[in-house]
Amino acid sequence: MTSTTTGRLPAAALPDERGRFGQFGGTYAPVTLLPAIEELRAAYDAARRDPEFQAELEHLLATYVGRPTALYYAESLSREIGGAQIYLKREDLAHTGAHKINNALGQGLLAKRMGKPRVIAETGAGQHGVATATVCAMLGLECVVYMGEVDIARQSLNVFRMKLLGAEVRPVGTGSRTLKDAMNEAIRDWVTNVETTYYLIGSVAGMHPYPMMVRDFQSVIGRETRRQIIEQAGRLPDAVVACVGGGSNAMGIFHPFIDDPDVELHGAEAAGLGIETGKHAATLSAGRVGVLHGSRSYVLQDDDGQIIEAHSIAAGLDYPGVGPEHSYLKDTGRATYHPVTDAEALEGFKLLCRTEGIIPALESAHAVALGARLAADRSPDDIIVINLSGRGDKDMHTVAEALGVAL
Amino acid sequence: METKTGSRIAATFARLREAGETGVCPYVTVGFPELDTVGRVGPALVAGGAAMIELGIPFSDPLADGATVQHSSHVALTNGVTVATCLDAARDLRHKGVDVPLIFMGYFNPLLSYGLERFAAACAEVGADGVIVPDLPPDESGDLREALQRHGLDLIFMLAPTSTDAQIAAVARQASGFIYCVSLTGVTGARDRLSQQLPGFIARVRRHTDLPLVVGFGISTPEHVKEAGKLAEAVAVGSAVVKRLGETPRERQPDEMEAFIRYLRGA
């Protein structure tokens, strides 16, 4: 396939060798890190072509992570909405309860292959931190996780899980004390300990090759979904819906469908208290193009280029940047990104609990809310797949508080 | 690329060479601890013998900086500092007769937001000489470098002990003014001693360039200056200056800065 009418390149052609998705992406990193980044690119390039590495990854995805995860036809939810037929890709059933393990496992194996004994990670909701700690425990790697103090307070269960798994959780008290600041601190650690340390980024953000590599490891979601929906419904879906913070679960399910022009791609961004309040994390809807954490992408920033603190009820979406490939999909019109408020996400959360007996993560609840909204306007012959990126156990305290319930 | 003859940067290094001195280049975050601090202490830094002044443009997410500069950036932003404020600070120093090279040091996003061409033109207008961007490696620097060149300024490149020979060679081909050599593998901030990697690293850089070298990160004492001075033409002192500024009462800051630069120079 050649470029489409919008000038978009086929999915497999991006990024280019400089890590660019159109104008987005690249390597905006302190010079100290450049050799490590080159080493990582070379190591990943070799690993992705190595049948042994791929076989080990597939084996562990099957036996340790529990893949393939189910694609579930949500009949009650579909009936309740009364529009399109809704299917749920059950990443919440993966080991550790979210899609994050797909990438953590891939990169963990890569760290081991590169001979790096120490792994560092940043985490927001704690799902990526838990996934990284899990993989490090299994592979025998030292693990340090940076986490903002605000997130530590609202995700205490995941902090405890990480510690049980043998990871050291380092609180980050600078800036907004959330995911962006955890990422700053992880990069500072990497700059300082670059020779021994592997930085295991949890989203499709950061400098090249991370946006490409994390996407590749997460694309297993979309590849399975494609196969499963054809098996179950006999055709491709009309739309795929996923939540977008940094955007790894969305890139993972979108990517294998990018070259199918009839499959709509919809991202749910966290609109927090509403875009008009300024308290949101809707980077693609309300940001400007800038550079944050190593790549050029849409960024929430003020008139002077200072990064604005994001807000979302879902810690995993509470990030003022977004993966560069999402910026590219937005600008080329291939994907559409919609704001979903905290309140709408809570409605989506309750809806799924009530109709399907599935408690979603608050992040995934944004996708549920958007999926329900889109499904309502569609014919019953249409098919929508929602990526249920994680389960909601970690969010019980937050949801109880939001609903005014004392636990 | 050669240092432009006739530029303030070239003249400064020529003077240092003639005097057999190691240049001391203090870094101050514009707007720390107060909005007018740089304008008040700049002339004192020169009186103390500063070879150049680095003017830090604060950023909300300074990922190459340690705690001291992070804190100063945060305070500066709270004080309302913008890119325009930083340009005004440089203009103000020139009006006050400061004639040493003024080098802006700041992260890429605020410059991108301001507009690279607009920023380069403004730098020339206010009398700045060069720009250092810690998160802009050579491969991504084309637009800013060209804009600065159009206006007669140098984009100052950085190298680190981890830099490969190929990366050093690539920087040497594009650099002008001087090369900023990061003394250690880490973020900014005072350290007890200089990295043992430094002599070998500087020797590798020298094999690729005749440009003057400035060593920075972790330099805070006259002993550091003396030791680094055996290897490089000048040193940059950031966190130690910023920390002292933050701890000194307002009225004593100019005298303290003049004395501190003299002390670092061993004068």
Side-chain angles (χ1 to χ4, degrees):
Chain A
M1 192 194 284
T2 55
S3 66
T4 66
T5 48
T6 56
R8 184 179 54 78
L9 292 169
L14 294 172
D16 66 17
E17 75 282 358
R18 290 179 59 219
R20 293 277 176 180
F21 305 87
Q23 66 156 312
F24 303 107
T27 307
Y28 297 86
V31 68
T32 306
L33 291 178
L34 295 180
I37 291 168
E38 273 188 16
E39 182 192 359
L40 176 61
R41 281 179 201 154
Y44 175 60
D45 198 48
R48 74 201 290 205
R49 292 158 202 273
D50 178 356
E52 254 179 67
F53 178 86
Q54 292 300 336
E56 186 178 10
L57 177 59
E58 270 175 41
H59 174 72
L60 287 170
L61 283 173
T63 59
Y64 187 72
V65 176
R67 304 205 71 90
T69 58
L71 180 72
Y72 167 68
Y73 170 48
E75 193 175 353
S76 304
L77 175 64
S78 303
R79 196 183 319 118
E80 169 101 6
I81 304 291
Q85 306 308 309
I86 299 173
Y87 289 74
L88 302 174
K89 178 59 174 167
R90 299 291 308 276
E91 290 301 298
D92 60 317
L93 297 178
H95 181 41
T96 72
H99 73 289
K100 292 290 186 188
I101 191 80
N102 304 325
N103 167 57
L105 179 63
Q107 288 198 59
L109 289 173
L110 186 60
K112 185 133 188 162
R113 182 185 164 104
M114 291 172 73
K116 304 277 185 185
R118 180 173 181 269
V119 169
I120 58 171
E122 81 294 332
T123 198
Q127 291 302 103
H128 173 58
V130 167
T132 303
T134 297
V135 167
C136 287
M138 191 258 288
L139 295 175
L141 299 166
E142 182 190 343
C143 181
V144 173
V145 179
Y146 288 92
M147 189 167 185
E149 287 173 349
V150 169
D151 292 333
I152 285 179
R154 61 180 164 177
Q155 302 286 348
S156 55
L157 184 64
N158 272 344
V159 175
F160 184 56
R161 289 168 83 193
M162 285 184 267
K163 289 179 179 170
L164 282 176
L165 291 161
E168 181 193 342
V169 179
R170 293 195 184 162
V172 177
T174 52
S176 57
R177 298 179 291 146
T178 58
L179 180 55
K180 120 183 136 69
D181 310 282
M183 199 152 173
N184 289 339
E185 212 51 44
I187 292 173
R188 290 184 189 115
D189 181 315
W190 197 26
V191 168
T192 305
N193 302 298
V194 61
E195 313 218 336
T196 59
T197 298
Y198 184 97
Y199 181 19
L200 207 160
I201 294 185
S203 195
V204 285
M207 54 292 280
H208 179 57
Y210 287 102
M212 170 184 76
M213 177 169 67
V214 176
R215 173 200 75 194
D216 291 351
F217 285 134
Q218 292 294 2
S219 290
V220 66
I221 305 171
R223 288 196 304 273
E224 286 175 6
T225 302
R226 204 184 156 82
R227 194 180 69 233
Q228 290 165 322
I229 195 72
I230 288 173
E231 277 165 16
Q232 293 181 32
R235 66 176 182 89
L236 292 178
D238 298 286
V240 175
V241 181
C243 65
V244 180
S248 72
N249 89 78
M251 246 4 277
I253 196 164
F254 285 178
H255 196 255
F257 292 102
I258 287 175
D259 294 335
D260 299 307
D262 294 334
V263 179
E264 296 174 17
L265 305 175
H266 295 278
E269 287 202 293
L273 302 179
I275 288 181
E276 69 288 350
T277 67
K279 293 199 176 303
H280 64 83
T283 309
L284 289 161
S285 304
R288 281 194 295 132
V289 175
V291 169
L292 175 65
H293 294 148
S295 62
R296 185 189 287 249
S297 195
Y298 280 86
V299 178
L300 293 180
Q301 54 182 316
D302 68 14
D303 292 342
D304 204 48
Q306 305 297 337
I307 309 306
I308 295 175
E309 295 179 9
H311 168 87
S312 171
I313 193 171
L317 303 182
D318 201 345
Y319 182 62
V322 67
E325 194 163 9
H326 283 296
S327 293
Y328 179 75
L329 294 177
K330 171 192 157 77
D331 275 15
T332 54
R334 180 61 188 95
T336 312
Y337 298 86
H338 313 254
V340 175
T341 63
D342 288 353
E344 290 170 316
L346 276 169
E347 287 309 310
F349 180 94
K350 290 191 284 185
L351 176 67
L352 196 66
C353 290
R354 181 166 55 79
T355 57
E356 294 292 349
I358 297 172
I359 301 178
L362 278 172
E363 291 77 14
S364 319
H366 287 72
V368 172
L370 177 62
R373 194 198 295 168
L374 296 172
D377 296 333
R378 286 178 174 265
S379 127
D381 296 332
D382 282 3
I383 295 172
I384 290 182
V385 175
I386 298 173
N387 196 19
L388 201 65
S389 55
R391 70 179 186 223
D393 311 43
K394 70 186 177 61
D395 295 317
M396 289 301 101
H397 285 284
T398 307
V399 173
E401 196 182 309
L403 299 180
V405 176
L407 292 183
Chain B
M1 196 173 290
E2 295 298 308
T3 297
K4 290 180 216 48
T5 45
S7 80
R8 268 192 214 95
I9 291 175
T12 296
F13 283 104
R15 182 181 60 71
L16 287 171
R17 192 166 16 222
E18 215 160 283
E21 260 191 64
T22 302
V24 171
C25 313
Y27 165 99
V28 285
T29 303
V30 176
F32 175 81
E34 294 169 295
L35 214 43
D36 63 352
T37 305
V38 169
R40 291 172 50 252
V41 305
L45 292 169
V46 178
M52 298 189 274
I53 298 175
E54 290 178 30
L55 297 172
I57 302 173
F59 182 46
S60 52
D61 295 79
L63 49 77
D65 283 301
T68 304
V69 175
Q70 282 179 47
H71 172 70
S72 72
S73 299
H74 179 75
V75 171
L77 291 175
T78 307
N79 288 339
V81 172
T82 64
V83 173
T85 316
C86 296
L87 290 162
D88 288 343
R91 186 188 289 113
D92 177 46
L93 290 178
R94 290 294 181 228
H95 285 163
K96 288 176 171 153
V98 167
D99 58 357
V100 299
L102 297 176
I103 313 291
F104 281 118
M105 190 160 186
Y107 292 83
F108 191 49
N109 198 57
L111 310 186
L112 190 62
S113 174
Y114 192 85
L116 300 183
E117 169 61 29
R118 180 178 170 224
F119 177 69
C123 282
E125 190 260 313
V126 302
D129 302 279
V131 179
I132 306 176
V133 186
D135 61 344
L136 191 69
D139 284 355
E140 304 287 0
S141 69
D143 292 347
L144 180 59
R145 188 179 68 242
E146 285 162 25
L148 290 172
Q149 273 173 356
R150 275 196 294 279
H151 294 279
L153 275 86
D154 295 310
L155 177 62
I156 306 300
F157 286 91
M158 301 177 98
L159 287 169
T162 54
S163 299
T164 62
D165 287 341
Q167 286 164 341
I168 293 172
V171 161
R173 278 194 298 276
Q174 300 175 56
S176 63
F178 59 90
I179 294 175
Y180 191 111
C181 297
V182 177
S183 77
L184 47 80
T185 307
V187 294
T188 61
R191 309 288 202 281
D192 288 342
R193 59 178 67 185
L194 290 187
S195 162
Q196 293 184 337
Q197 302 166 290
L198 191 58
F201 164 46
I202 296 297
R204 287 199 298 128
V205 177
R206 291 281 189 212
R207 281 202 283 279
H208 293 275
T209 184
D210 296 326
L211 280 176
L213 305 182
V214 176
V215 169
F217 284 41
I219 298 196
S220 59
T221 68
E223 292 73 33
H224 293 162
V225 175
K226 200 171 170 199
E227 207 179 320
K230 291 176 191 157
L231 305 166
E233 281 77 4
V235 298
V237 184
S239 298
V241 168
V242 169
K243 184 159 180 284
R244 208 161 275 248
L245 261 180
E247 291 168 354
T248 305
R250 177 179 167 88
E251 63 280 4
R252 281 192 40 229
Q253 284 164 351
D255 289 347
E256 177 68 26
M257 285 295 106
E258 181 175 341
F260 187 50
I261 301 302
R262 275 190 209 289
Y263 166 74
L264 288 171
R265 291 172 58 228

